[in-house]
Amino acid sequence: MRREISPALVYPFMRSVMEAPFPAPGRTVTVKSFLPGSGNEVLTLCRPVDSRLEHVDFDSLLECLSVGNLLQVFASLLLERRVIFVAEKLSVLSRCSHAVLALLYPFTWQHTFVPVLPASMLDISCSPTPFLIGVLAPCLPQLLELPIEEVLIVDLCANKFVIQLGDEDCILPSKLQAALQQILEEREDILRQETGNTSLVSEGFVRFFVELVGHYPLHMVESSNGNKELQRDSFRKSHPSRGVRQFLQLFMDTQMFAGFIQDKELRKGGGRGLFETRVAEYLDSCSEPEPSGVNKFLKGLGNKMKLLQMK
């Protein structure tokens, strides 16, 4: 157990923390402290590269679900299907549901989201519209008696699907899915430092979307009212992968994609968030000869990871 530290030692430390400049995403700040018996000590605090993830717990999600099952849940959400998480603890439902939605960045879930649904409101799960809902395990028998159509029910405690449509593993483009799965399964080998795993998970999914839709700026044209418009046909058909073109045909009909493109069409200055930064890097590299498919995906992410480690 820690022994009580006198306020005379705590106050200088807190003052040095408060006076230190707030670091930019991915940057570090050093704070000096004095500990009895240890003398002066310098602490280095690092802010996540992507500030969106400061309160997102991907570790809990990957502890509950295997990579394969996680990608099937991810694919179902991309097509805006109905998904129900089941767990014994409120905290698990909350952490996992928020984490899985964070994986959708730069897209945003546009539908019903209830991290923990009270037992008295289980009827909401019969809604014909898309949703992501969390339900406590004792409610599962009652839930299974309801007339819910086309739903993916995920048992987070047992890492299994209670009910599924059966096509979840065939939704994503096969090469991109294989690359993303390899990245996630080998994340501990890629980044030995524990603090880097969350960034790697995020970077893997961001890279997935860059490979999927990163060419969209090339198909934005200015309309008569000064706004930009996506040339949808040329955008989809221009992708070199047939699997991606087939997936885009479905994905482009979702509200997530519509909201994403509407934001780009109305934003005249263009965004410079994490995704847009990766898209710019991707488009700059398109003129360079690179391997295709899985190897290109891994190469792009590998270069990004090296850059992160240098910062």
Side-chain angles (χ1 to χ4, degrees):
M1 294 180 62
R2 291 177 178 267
R3 295 183 179 180
E4 185 177 351
I5 300 178
S6 70
L9 295 175
V10 174
Y11 291 156
F13 172 73
M14 294 302 298
R15 188 182 303 113
S16 65
V17 171
M18 295 175 67
E19 292 176 352
F22 191 63
R27 301 298 182 180
T28 59
V29 62
T30 56
V31 178
K32 293 182 180 180
S33 67
F34 177 81
L35 297 176
S38 302
N40 290 320
E41 184 177 358
V42 177
L43 301 178
T44 301
L45 307 175
C46 181
R47 186 179 175 192
V49 175
D50 186 355
S51 58
R52 296 177 307 106
L53 307 177
E54 289 177 331
H55 305 291
V56 175
D57 185 2
F58 289 131
D59 288 339
S60 291
L61 187 60
L62 288 163
E63 286 170 4
C64 291
L65 293 177
S66 65
V67 172
N69 284 348
L70 172 58
L71 291 181
Q72 292 185 58
V73 173
F74 173 69
S76 298
L77 291 173
L78 280 185
L79 293 191
E80 298 183 330
R81 293 182 174 182
R82 291 178 282 278
V83 177
I84 299 177
F85 280 173
V86 180
E88 297 283 351
K89 297 181 179 180
L90 291 169
S91 58
V92 173
L93 287 176
S94 180
R95 286 198 299 264
C96 289
S97 58
H98 281 94
V100 78
L101 289 188
L103 296 178
L104 299 177
Y105 172 81
F107 300 92
T108 304
W109 182 251
Q110 305 280 345
H111 303 280
T112 301
F113 172 46
V114 186
V116 184
L117 185 68
S120 60
M121 300 177 66
L122 285 181
D123 286 349
I124 289 180
S125 60
C126 298
S127 168
T129 58
F131 57 67
L132 173 60
I133 289 173
V135 173
L136 288 172
C139 299
L140 182 57
Q142 183 182 350
L143 183 71
L144 294 176
E145 293 178 0
L146 297 174
I148 309 174
E149 296 183 0
E150 296 187 343
V151 65
L152 176 65
I153 299 182
V154 186
D155 187 336
L156 295 174
C157 298
N159 181 31
K160 69 176 184 180
F161 299 139
V162 179
I163 294 179
Q164 63 186 122
L165 274 66
D167 67 343
E168 290 85 357
D169 197 36
C170 306
I171 295 174
L172 300 177
S174 58
K175 289 184 178 180
L176 290 184
Q177 178 172 336
L180 187 53
Q181 182 156 350
Q182 183 177 343
I183 290 291
L184 295 176
E185 289 178 345
E186 298 178 1
R187 63 188 182 279
E188 293 183 3
D189 295 330
I190 297 173
L191 287 180
R192 293 293 182 182
Q193 299 178 358
E194 184 179 349
T195 55
N197 287 345
T198 295
S199 295
L200 178 58
V201 172
S202 173
E203 283 289 345
F205 281 91
V206 168
R207 183 69 191 185
F208 170 88
F209 283 121
V210 168
E211 294 285 346
L212 189 71
V213 301
H215 59 299
Y216 84 87
L218 303 177
H219 301 274
M220 301 287 284
V221 299
E222 190 167 327
S223 61
S224 55
N225 60 7
N227 292 332
K228 293 183 177 180
E229 290 182 359
L230 177 71
Q231 302 300 296
R232 296 172 64 91
D233 235 18
S234 64
F235 164 74
R236 182 180 63 83
K237 292 179 179 179
S238 67
H239 203 287
S241 166
R242 185 179 68 171
V244 170
R245 293 196 300 271
Q246 291 173 340
F247 175 76
L248 285 176
Q249 195 159 8
L250 299 173
F251 184 54
M252 289 171 66
D253 287 334
T254 64
Q255 289 191 29
M256 269 191 296
F257 183 83
F260 170 81
I261 290 300
Q262 184 179 41
D263 178 66
K264 304 306 176 187
E265 289 176 338
L266 297 178
R267 185 178 299 175
K268 296 183 179 180
R272 291 302 295 178
L274 176 67
F275 178 72
E276 295 301 330
T277 300
R278 298 292 179 268
V279 166
E281 295 167 353
Y282 169 78
L283 294 177
D284 285 344
S285 70
C286 282
S287 58
E288 303 172 8
E290 288 193 9
S292 61
V294 176
N295 290 333
K296 180 180 179 182
F297 184 102
L298 295 174
K299 180 178 182 293
L301 186 59
N303 290 340
K304 188 61 222 164
M305 289 297 97
K306 291 176 184 176
L307 180 61
L308 289 177
Q309 288 173 322
M310 291 170 58
K311 289 183 177 181

